[in-house]
Amino acid sequence: MSTAETPTRGYAQDKAAYARRLKRIEGQVRGIQRMVEEDAYCIDVLTQISAIQSALKSVSLGLMEEHLGHCVKHAVEHAHDTGDTSDMDAKLAEANAAIARLVKS
Amino acid sequence: MSTAETPTRGYAQDKAAYARRLKRIEGQVRGIQRMVEEDAYCIDVLTQISAIQSALKSVSLGLMEEHLGHCVKHAVEHAHDTGDTSDMDAKLAEANAAIARLVKS
Amino acid sequence: MSTAETPTRGYAQDKAAYARRLKRIEGQVRGIQRMVEEDAYCIDVLTQISAIQSALKSVSLGLMEEHLGHCVKHAVEHAHDTGDTSDMDAKLAEANAAIARLVKS
Amino acid sequence: MSTAETPTRGYAQDKAAYARRLKRIEGQVRGIQRMVEEDAYCIDVLTQISAIQSALKSVSLGLMEEHLGHCVKHAVEHAHDTGDTSDMDAKLAEANAAIARLVKS
């Protein structure tokens, strides 16, 4: 296939939004560096880190949602059409491992 | 500024180490922006975000540890010496709220 | 009841194993009640609660894995066969909400 | 000392309340066993497990709060009075390890 060499990712249509959210998170991390540099109060630094953790968690949940609704969905359809479940099995195993990492990280 | 106008923070002696860790985390966030820009596979992006979450969690636990061992400790000593528990009570309440945020973020 | 009135759940074949794991968790919760009754050291109680949390997290991840590999998979296949995506959309939304709760609980 | 052989725990005055909360959590775990027994929908089981996780987290945070405000506080005061920091150091290390387990479990 000539066209789809780079497959379309689940997050493709929201790519600009993800880029913006990650840019904002990068700014928040730089803000924490400045706080440490200026001897900010430990609790205030901790509060900012918790805010970043929540923002990252929210990005992760968005990506996972799009992964299930696109990549996993397509893999299930492909397995259903062809009887070859190998890609679907791999995609499901990957998704489960990612959910476990997300829950534990 | 005369002497202790800016109080010494619990993390003061590890300040350079914290700065380095946060710098590395900032680089990881930029790495994720690049991945999204280049249409990286969702699961690979998620794995990187989990790595950042773990790194931030570890920074938070370090700051909390130093907060308890310095700020909270000094507040308890001060209350014990003076009988005025107001600062200690505030410090403990803050620490508990920060632990709760940490556990939930 | 004729045949499939109660649908087969994703966890059906591991039902006995889940029952055993939950029975063990119930015993752990009773163990903590006993510890509190006997004035056990706070930190020891906390350690036991963390063990229960890990056990519950592991049960949740197992159920989610089977949910994706059965209920969500069947819903995707059904939508692919019939063109009616309503059940699949609902199943995916539910799964995403459950993953979010899992990550935040 | 004859009396205080079993030291008073931080949670002593709320002991009855903790006992009740743990009893309720035990009931919730039994409820999940029943759900699995009756082939309840995976997502409904997951929702109930998340509720238990939140209840346990809340118990843990309460115990930690009382641990800091009693055991750790007393250890700091004792170290301040006697100059012997060994118990305080041990108590702080334990508290930090427990916070880390709480955050990761």
Side-chain angles (χ1 to χ4, degrees):
Chain A
M1 205 193 315
S2 66
T3 44
E5 293 214 323
T6 299
T8 310
R9 297 308 180 193
Y11 57 79
Q13 52 193 140
D14 299 317
K15 206 167 133 166
Y18 279 108
R20 266 196 309 278
R21 289 164 76 178
L22 290 166
K23 197 81 203 158
R24 202 176 316 131
I25 290 169
E26 184 196 335
Q28 288 176 291
V29 176
R30 261 203 305 273
I32 292 177
Q33 292 174 55
R34 226 165 12 240
M35 290 176 85
V36 167
E37 182 53 41
E38 295 167 1
D39 298 300
Y41 183 42
C42 329
I43 294 288
D44 294 336
V45 181
L46 283 166
T47 302
Q48 286 308 307
I49 296 182
S50 288
I52 297 179
Q53 298 272 45
S54 293
L56 284 171
K57 195 170 274 188
S58 170
V59 167
S60 289
L61 289 171
L63 289 172
M64 180 56 75
E65 184 168 338
E66 287 167 20
H67 184 65
L68 293 177
H70 290 87
C71 312
V72 171
K73 173 177 171 287
H74 292 152
V76 170
E77 291 169 349
H78 183 76
H80 195 51
D81 286 341
T82 64
D84 176 359
T85 66
S86 55
D87 181 51
M88 176 185 75
D89 294 341
K91 285 275 184 310
L92 281 170
E94 270 177 354
N96 290 320
I99 293 169
R101 273 194 303 273
L102 198 53
V103 167
K104 286 168 185 167
S105 71
Chain B
M1 206 191 314
S2 61
T3 45
E5 295 216 321
T6 298
T8 311
R9 297 308 180 192
Y11 57 80
Q13 55 193 137
D14 299 317
K15 204 166 135 167
Y18 279 108
R20 268 196 308 279
R21 289 164 77 179
L22 290 166
K23 197 81 203 158
R24 201 176 317 129
I25 291 169
E26 184 196 334
Q28 288 176 290
V29 176
R30 261 204 304 274
I32 291 178
Q33 292 175 55
R34 224 161 21 237
M35 290 176 85
V36 167
E37 182 52 41
E38 295 166 1
D39 299 300
Y41 183 41
C42 329
I43 294 290
D44 295 336
V45 181
L46 283 166
T47 302
Q48 286 309 306
I49 296 181
S50 289
I52 297 179
Q53 300 268 47
S54 293
L56 284 171
K57 196 170 274 188
S58 170
V59 167
S60 289
L61 289 171
L63 289 172
M64 180 56 74
E65 184 168 337
E66 288 166 19
H67 184 64
L68 293 178
H70 291 87
C71 312
V72 172
K73 173 176 171 288
H74 292 151
V76 171
E77 291 168 351
H78 182 76
H80 195 51
D81 287 341
T82 65
D84 175 359
T85 66
S86 56
D87 181 51
M88 176 185 75
D89 293 342
K91 285 275 185 308
L92 282 170
E94 269 177 354
N96 290 320
I99 293 169
R101 273 194 303 273
L102 198 53
V103 166
K104 287 169 184 168
S105 71
Chain C
M1 207 193 311
S2 60
T3 45
E5 294 214 326
T6 299
T8 312
R9 298 306 181 194
Y11 57 80
Q13 54 193 138
D14 298 316
K15 205 167 134 168
Y18 278 108
R20 267 195 309 278
R21 290 164 77 178
L22 290 166
K23 196 81 202 159
R24 201 175 317 130
I25 290 169
E26 185 196 333
Q28 289 176 289
V29 176
R30 262 203 304 274
I32 292 177
Q33 292 175 54
R34 231 170 4 247
M35 291 175 85
V36 167
E37 182 52 42
E38 296 167 0
D39 298 300
Y41 183 42
C42 329
I43 294 289
D44 294 335
V45 181
L46 283 166
T47 302
Q48 286 307 307
I49 297 181
S50 288
I52 298 180
Q53 298 274 45
S54 293
L56 284 171
K57 197 170 273 188
S58 170
V59 167
S60 288
L61 289 171
L63 289 172
M64 180 56 76
E65 184 168 337
E66 289 167 18
H67 184 64
L68 293 178
H70 290 86
C71 312
V72 172
K73 173 176 171 289
H74 292 151
V76 171
E77 291 169 350
H78 183 75
H80 196 51
D81 287 341
T82 64
D84 175 0
T85 66
S86 54
D87 181 51
M88 176 184 75
D89 294 341
K91 286 274 184 309
L92 282 170
E94 270 178 353
N96 290 320
I99 293 169
R101 273 194 304 272
L102 198 52
V103 166
K104 287 167 184 168
S105 72
Chain D
M1 205 192 313
S2 66
T3 45
E5 294 214 321
T6 299
T8 310
R9 299 307 181 192
Y11 57 79
Q13 52 193 137
D14 299 317
K15 205 167 135 168
Y18 279 108
R20 267 196 309 278
R21 289 164 78 178
L22 290 166
K23 197 80 203 159
R24 201 176 316 130
I25 291 169
E26 185 196 334
Q28 288 176 291
V29 176
R30 261 204 305 275
I32 292 178
Q33 292 175 53
R34 226 164 14 239
M35 290 176 86
V36 167
E37 182 52 41
E38 296 167 359
D39 299 299
Y41 183 42
C42 329
I43 294 289
D44 295 336
V45 181
L46 283 166
T47 302
Q48 286 308 307
I49 296 181
S50 289
I52 298 179
Q53 302 266 48
S54 293
L56 284 171
K57 195 169 277 187
S58 171
V59 168
S60 289
L61 290 171
L63 289 171
M64 179 57 75
E65 185 168 338
E66 288 167 18
H67 184 64
L68 293 178
H70 291 86
C71 311
V72 171
K73 173 177 171 287
H74 292 151
V76 171
E77 291 169 350
H78 182 77
H80 195 51
D81 287 341
T82 65
D84 175 0
T85 67
S86 55
D87 181 52
M88 176 185 74
D89 294 341
K91 285 275 184 307
L92 282 169
E94 269 178 355
N96 290 320
I99 293 169
R101 272 194 304 274
L102 197 54
V103 167
K104 286 168 184 168
S105 71

